[in-house]
Amino acid sequence: MPDRTVADLVVERLRAWRVPRAFGYPGEAIAPLVAALDRAGGDPEFIPARHEETAAFMATGHAKFTGEIGVCLATQGPSAVHLLNGLYDAKLDSKPVVAIVGEDISGPLGGAHEEIGLSRLFGDVCNQFLRYGRVAGQVPVLLDQAFRTAAATRSPTCVVLPYSLQTATVPDLQAHSAGVMSATPGEPLARVLPHDGDLDAAASLLITGQRVAILVGQGAHGAADEIVALADRLGAGVATSLLGKPVLDERLPFHTGVLGEVGTTASAQLMGGCDTLLLIGTNDPWTDYFPMPGQARTIQIDIDGRRIGTRYPVDVPLVGDAAETLRALLARVPDRPNQQWRGVVESSVDRWRQDAAQRAATPAEPINPQLVLHELSTRVPRTGAVAVDVGSVIFWYARHLELPPGVRAQLCGTLGSMGCALPYAVAAKLARPDEPVIALLGDGAMQLNGLAELITVAHHWQQWRDPRLVVLVLNNRDQSGMGGGRHPAGRLGDRRPDVPYAGWARLLGLHGVRVDRPELVGPAWDEVLAADRPSVLETVVDAEVPLNPPEPALADLRGLFASGDAARRVREQMLDARAVVEAEDLV
């Protein structure tokens, strides 16, 4: 039996932390660990990506879709540099990822091949924990600390392991011998609940509010029932951040949709009309769409106190877990809904939904991209996952794709890096191979990372119990990456070269469908969602369809209210409040 090496010890530690798979790109400096993973027989499994960037995106996608800690591997030099994009995605969207980087410096310092100072390279993105392994006895505790820190801080961490250490034979480790520290895997996260006095203050503010708005972010996952119950008690309207879109059932009549530039008119109007704002687990950067400072009294719930008040002035901060904090508030808030305000919100939602349907039905040349997402909305499987890339597809996803309850959806929400959706989709599919996954991309993202990672899909799909992984490519050949006619013709040069995306899928043994007529969009979705293998649905869409961002909060309140004396009085009160705020700003 071969000697047990430090690389084997790393695999044992990954197994102890219940890591199902590690994503990476093989290279010499990490080869001993990859070989040890091969010897492990799939526990954990090594998933080779086509690029280190996509390996890091896969690890982050795994963390986003499962709530577990993602793991990625790379070597020193350029390989380590390529990890950064995916790790910054994890950092900015607060997801736990552990990067294990191999290093082989055998020449003189400063002159080795592929040498880059890893401590400086990862010093920002992995600032919560970055350590080098020096002796075999340190490796278990280094990995345990990396995992614990990633879980506790919801951020990426990094452990650097020299090649010579990975290949070293593991001695009989004694718990108290020099350089050896014993450690036990686990991630004991504390229960976090605000103080009673703060909860009382928040409840008092909510009770006295006349027009309550709730903004839901990704930190509210698992608290949908509590959010709906509180909204009903107050007669509140509810909007979500882009990352918070999957939290609530979007069919709720008082759910105004996503807030921000990519969002809905109804959400902008909700923010423009409220006098009380409850922020739940959100760090939404689109502050232009928040109420004007001074317009609304605000409560913010976040498990990370460092985020309180970073986006909007807060009257009552509540540091705590979203679901538990909301349950504590429900015990303090009586059932006294403002039906008049709720009626105003629901009328606004109805008008927006009619407007969205009209936008999707507007003719375009050859296909309106909004129609593609509108047709998918009635066909989304009741289980599974949706991965969304960056570009104009985010606008159409935010406004036109109604997610069924329980369907998970993720995107690179804060970093905004193209090329994430297909790696995310691979991670989601490997985590739950018995559920369908849909990836939504533009042609730019498909050319950036998607074409290569279809090879990964082709390599793994026959092992999946449900073979459906559908990749939508909105092919508008627009160099700006955004579409919507934002840029003058010719300013960005020729349009992006066309690629036979569906044809490339067929070359790989997958299913491919290309559509360039609007009446075929619905049947094409039916075809790919019923296919016996992964599919690429290529839709040729019009790059000139306008994005039409909603007007920011308080820009125009005229369309918010239905007719009637009561609604007119509320509108007059709100316009008076707006005039006071604007006058104070002038002073």
Side-chain angles (χ1 to χ4, degrees), residues 141-212:
V141 74
L142 283 180
L143 289 170
D144 289 346
Q145 288 176 343
F147 274 87
R148 282 204 181 93
T149 303
T153 64
R154 299 167 185 83
S155 67
T157 61
C158 179
V159 175
V160 181
L161 298 177
Y163 178 92
S164 58
L165 179 60
Q166 296 175 56
T167 58
T169 301
V170 177
D172 292 330
L173 302 180
Q174 300 297 322
H176 301 291
S177 61
V180 176
M181 296 168 284
S182 61
T184 304
E187 37 189 292
L189 298 180
R191 179 190 183 198
V192 183
L193 195 63
H195 293 292
D196 286 341
D198 296 326
L199 289 166
D200 291 340
S204 176
L205 195 154
L206 290 171
I207 292 168
T208 57
Q210 296 299 308
R211 301 180 299 277
V212 180

Side-chain angles (χ1 to χ4, degrees), residues 93-95 214-221 223 227 240-241 243-244 247 278-284 299-304 307-308 318 320-323 326:
D93 280 354
S94 300
K95 299 302 175 186
I214 300 175
L215 179 59
V216 173
Q218 63 167 339
H221 277 289
I227 294 168
T240 72
S241 70
L243 289 172
V247 172
L278 173 60
L279 305 171
I280 306 175
T282 178
N283 194 34
D284 197 311
I299 303 157
Q300 184 172 358
I301 300 172
D302 204 295
I303 200 165
D304 188 345
R307 291 189 175 157
I308 299 289
L318 298 177
D321 172 79
L326 287 167

